[in-house]
Amino acid sequence: MANNQSVRQHLDAFTRGRIIGKLEEGRSVTSVAEEFGISDSIVSRLWRQFQTTGTAIRGFSSGRPRGTTPADDRYIVLQARRNRWQTEGEIARHTTQVTGRPISRFTVARRLHGGGLFARRPVPVCTFFTLPSEKAFSVVPGTPELERQ
């Protein structure tokens, strides 16, 4: 990193509280900023946030919002434990019906993996398997397979 770029760090909750306390005492934004060694704009923004919301706690939301709530996650794991033979798609459809929010089978797979479980994989139907009794009818007369029987 170049020398002219600054490193951004968040203020911890204790420091935020101290800054708000000093501003409530009636001190100026500039004097508080100088005391803590931070920019005036940071103190001003923190003070404005405190005055509008009544709190100076940082928000923790970033990125894409979650598709399921923690309660939904517990319900998905519970469904998988109740019926071990359900596939991810079946659990997803059932959870969507219950919650009213669409949940993909991939989300179900991630939640189950987080809970230490794995859903049953759907088994493809094998069409090549024939019984020995059916094999006699599927052979054309005059072929070597029929003569060996």
Side-chain angles (χ1 to χ4, degrees):
M1 183 171 4
N3 291 335
N4 60 353
Q5 293 179 341
S6 63
V7 177
R8 294 179 54 165
Q9 291 181 344
H10 295 289
L11 298 172
D12 60 339
F14 182 71
T15 307
R16 286 171 160 264
R18 287 181 55 208
I19 291 171
I20 295 299
K22 293 187 182 296
L23 291 170
E24 283 180 330
E25 290 174 358
R27 293 188 45 193
S28 69
V29 171
T30 308
S31 67
V32 174
E34 286 176 3
E35 182 178 337
F36 286 94
I38 55 177
S39 174
D40 293 359
S41 62
I42 294 171
V43 175
S44 176
R45 217 175 315 126
L46 179 63
W47 180 238
R48 187 171 56 242
Q49 177 192 1
F50 178 76
Q51 288 177 324
T52 56
T53 63
T55 183
I57 299 173
R58 284 185 59 231
F60 293 104
S61 64
S62 65
R64 183 182 172 134
R66 285 177 55 95
T68 59
T69 64
D72 294 341
D73 297 346
R74 288 191 300 273
Y75 184 77
I76 288 169
V77 171
L78 181 69
Q79 278 300 112
R81 285 194 175 132
R82 276 184 187 159
N83 188 353
R84 292 263 340 242
W85 302 111
Q86 279 186 324
T87 63
E88 295 163 350
E90 291 168 349
I91 295 172
R93 281 190 293 277
H94 185 75
T95 308
T96 299
Q97 287 176 348
V98 171
T99 61
R101 289 185 307 276
I103 298 170
S104 72
R105 68 182 182 90
F106 300 106
T107 301
V108 170
R110 282 193 302 273
R111 300 305 184 258
L112 289 176
H113 185 66
L117 297 173
F118 298 93
R120 183 183 72 82
R121 298 253 183 219
V123 178
V125 178
C126 184
T127 58
F128 303 110
F129 179 73
T130 56
L131 295 173
S133 61
E134 294 173 348
K135 189 171 184 182
F137 296 109
S138 64
V139 179
V140 179
T143 58
E145 288 96 357
L146 188 60
E147 294 169 2
R148 272 188 260 146
Q149 292 181 2

